[in-house]
Amino acid sequence: MRSSESASRRVRTLERPSGGVVEERRIDEGVEHAIDGQRDGATVVICLDGVGTAALERETYLMRAGFIAILRGAVTLRIGAGPRGVRWLSLRWPERSLQALGPPKRGLERTRALYGRASVGLAWRISEELRVKDSLAPWAVDVMAGGIAVALTRGSRRHPPTPALATRARRAIDRAGYGNISLAKIARELGCSPEHLSRLFRRSFGLTPSRYAMWRRIEQAKRMLLAGTRPVSDIGIELGFSDASHFGRHFRAWTGVSPARFRENRG
């Protein structure tokens, strides 16, 4: 992926009266962007639309509309855009304004990732206010930023740290390599039903175990396509696809282009 400030477009930015900045940003396909947290303060990142990946600490999540990351202290969120690009809103609370929040600051006290609704609805309204540009917009944005803090605090009771079972399932998929996986076998080894494991995994990482496994295969395929001139069919077979057509169909569904076109575009 490319990593350049010119490919990352700041759409809107605004300083809040209570302190801190709200920024809306978009990156295009194939671009990576890093968001650094504040050593003293909190940062909330909410995906508005698009599809990509979000790496936070030791985990990688599907970044889609509804993805929320809370960065507490000096941590980094690394975003990679998929075929449609990714657009997000980031809100920063310096320590002084964080303390002024009172009880709602509890939802911003630890680094975590989740998929939400109430906070995302407010993020969309903030995005609209950023386009108003009148004298009341900063105050409206400030009120809704406070609402996001309240929603995250309420939601923190329903979003504990990533369950150990989901983490163990993810590690099992990673150890299995890039071939096909058996969800039933993994669930049996972990002592739960496939249905329960699938629900828990999706709630934790934003996609089901089977789609996570396919995402890993497609990401590895991208790296192999760019690393040399091996035939596309050979790469597909090595990654567990039955033939070039099977490989091309899944690759196109995830990236929007065929493997050959992907290689040509990045060449």
Side-chain angles (χ1 to χ4, degrees):
M1 282 191 171
R2 292 174 291 144
S3 178
S4 69
E5 189 67 21
S6 61
S8 173
R9 302 199 296 272
R10 181 182 298 175
V11 181
R12 300 284 189 275
T13 185
L14 183 146
E15 293 187 9
R16 305 202 316 272
S18 65
V21 174
V22 175
E23 181 179 275
E24 184 179 329
R25 188 179 286 268
R26 174 185 172 83
I27 57 175
D28 296 327
E29 176 190 1
V31 176
E32 289 184 338
H33 184 81
I35 300 176
D36 294 324
Q38 309 168 81
R39 187 170 299 278
D40 296 312
T43 302
V44 175
V45 179
I46 303 176
C47 183
L48 298 174
D49 56 48
V51 177
T53 59
L56 180 61
E57 296 185 309
R58 297 183 179 181
E59 302 291 356
T60 301
Y61 302 86
L62 177 68
M63 188 160 186
R64 57 168 171 76
F67 172 79
I68 303 171
I70 297 97
L71 314 181
R72 189 67 170 96
V75 296
T76 298
L77 176 70
R78 300 188 183 281
I79 300 171
R84 292 186 294 154
V86 179
R87 184 165 63 102
W88 68 85
L89 197 76
S90 62
L91 303 97
R92 294 183 178 270
W93 279 267
E95 190 63 35
R96 60 180 178 79
S97 57
L98 189 64
Q99 295 304 319
L101 278 174
K105 70 181 176 62
R106 294 173 186 168
L108 310 177
E109 287 181 340
R110 63 182 174 89
T111 295
R112 68 188 195 279
L114 59 133
Y115 295 86
R117 292 183 180 179
S119 298
V120 179
L122 287 168
W124 271 104
R125 292 179 63 185
I126 288 176
S127 177
E128 294 169 0
E129 286 292 336
L130 292 179
R131 289 160 174 75
V132 172
K133 296 182 179 179
D134 68 6
S135 60
L136 293 177
W139 300 96
V141 168
D142 219 12
V143 169
M144 286 181 276
I148 286 175
V150 170
L152 291 173
T153 298
R154 285 176 170 164
S156 64
R157 302 163 190 161
R158 303 189 298 271
H159 296 283
T162 302
L165 193 65
T167 300
R168 288 168 60 195
R170 180 170 177 161
R171 289 172 180 167
I173 295 172
D174 292 342
R175 288 195 303 270
Y178 297 104
N180 293 317
I181 65 163
S182 170
L183 179 60
K185 180 181 178 182
I186 293 175
R188 188 167 56 250
E189 292 173 350
L190 297 178
C192 66
S193 70
E195 294 77 15
H196 174 71
L197 182 59
S198 184
R199 287 194 299 269
L200 186 64
F201 198 97
R202 182 168 186 171
R203 190 163 65 243
S204 299
F205 300 113
L207 63 175
T208 63
S210 59
R211 284 187 64 78
Y212 170 71
M214 180 59 70
W215 170 75
R216 290 185 70 250
R217 293 163 77 186
I218 298 301
E219 289 300 304
Q220 177 64 6
K222 290 179 181 179
R223 290 188 286 269
M224 294 173 72
L225 287 166
L226 297 178
T229 58
R230 288 183 60 190
V232 169
S233 58
D234 288 357
I235 292 175
I237 291 172
E238 182 175 329
L239 294 178
F241 296 96
S242 57
D243 52 36
S245 176
H246 184 216
F247 174 39
R249 185 166 63 253
H250 282 284
F251 192 92
R252 189 178 295 106
W254 280 85
T255 67
V257 297
S258 68
R261 178 61 59 86
F262 176 84
R263 175 180 274 169
E264 291 172 4
N265 291 346
R266 303 302 175 84

